[in-house]
Amino acid sequence: MSRRPLPDRRKLPKIIKVGITEFELIHWDPVEAEAEGCRGLCNVFEYHIKVRTDLPDSHFAEVLEHEINHACWAAAKLKSRASEETVVNRLTPVLIMARRDNPEIYAWIDRAIAKA
């Protein structure tokens, strides 16, 4: 199975809508990320999501999904910071695998919700 090259991720939309909030997507300098000790960050007070630029596409995608899940957690007004990290860490790879392994289902879902 040949894969088409991914579009340049720097051309991703700059705004990610989660609930009623718009988060700015920031392509994070690796030196700054290293200083924070993480690959990605979701700031629900300043409304931005940062992802390290030096990650391979597959890791960038997983970290982006992970940080979007943090934004979803905040939008749903869920509690407990420790539980949040555990839930997001455990769900993100499974959700990504489900999306990867079921492209027709997710393409249909994407089309269906685009009509909403």
Side-chain angles (χ1 to χ4, degrees):
M1 177 172 143
S2 69
R3 292 183 183 239
R4 291 184 292 184
L6 291 173
D8 183 351
R9 64 186 180 205
R10 291 171 296 178
K11 294 181 181 177
L12 288 170
K14 303 249 185 274
I15 299 298
I16 300 169
K17 296 177 185 176
V18 178
I20 61 169
T21 305
E22 291 185 350
F23 288 83
E24 178 187 8
L25 174 59
I26 298 172
H27 296 267
W28 205 7
D29 179 83
V31 174
E32 293 175 15
E34 196 64 37
E36 291 290 327
C38 51
R39 299 181 305 153
L41 182 75
C42 175
N43 188 311
V44 298
F45 301 106
E46 296 177 12
Y47 308 113
H48 60 253
I49 290 174
K50 295 180 176 183
V51 183
R52 289 178 71 130
T53 58
D54 61 341
L55 299 174
D57 284 341
S58 59
H59 291 244
F60 187 94
E62 182 176 352
V63 171
L64 178 57
E65 181 93 8
H66 177 98
E67 299 309 330
I68 291 170
N69 287 340
H70 278 297
C72 291
W73 181 280
K77 307 282 191 250
L78 297 170
K79 304 289 183 215
S80 179
R81 180 79 184 136
S83 296
E84 174 183 355
E85 197 60 36
T86 299
V87 170
V88 170
N89 274 331
R90 290 185 181 177
L91 278 180
T92 299
V94 176
L95 293 169
I96 290 220
M97 286 186 291
R99 182 173 286 276
R100 179 200 62 203
D101 294 342
N102 302 283
E104 290 179 36
I105 296 293
Y106 281 94
W108 182 89
I109 290 170
D110 290 343
R111 286 191 306 274
I113 63 174
K115 294 178 184 177

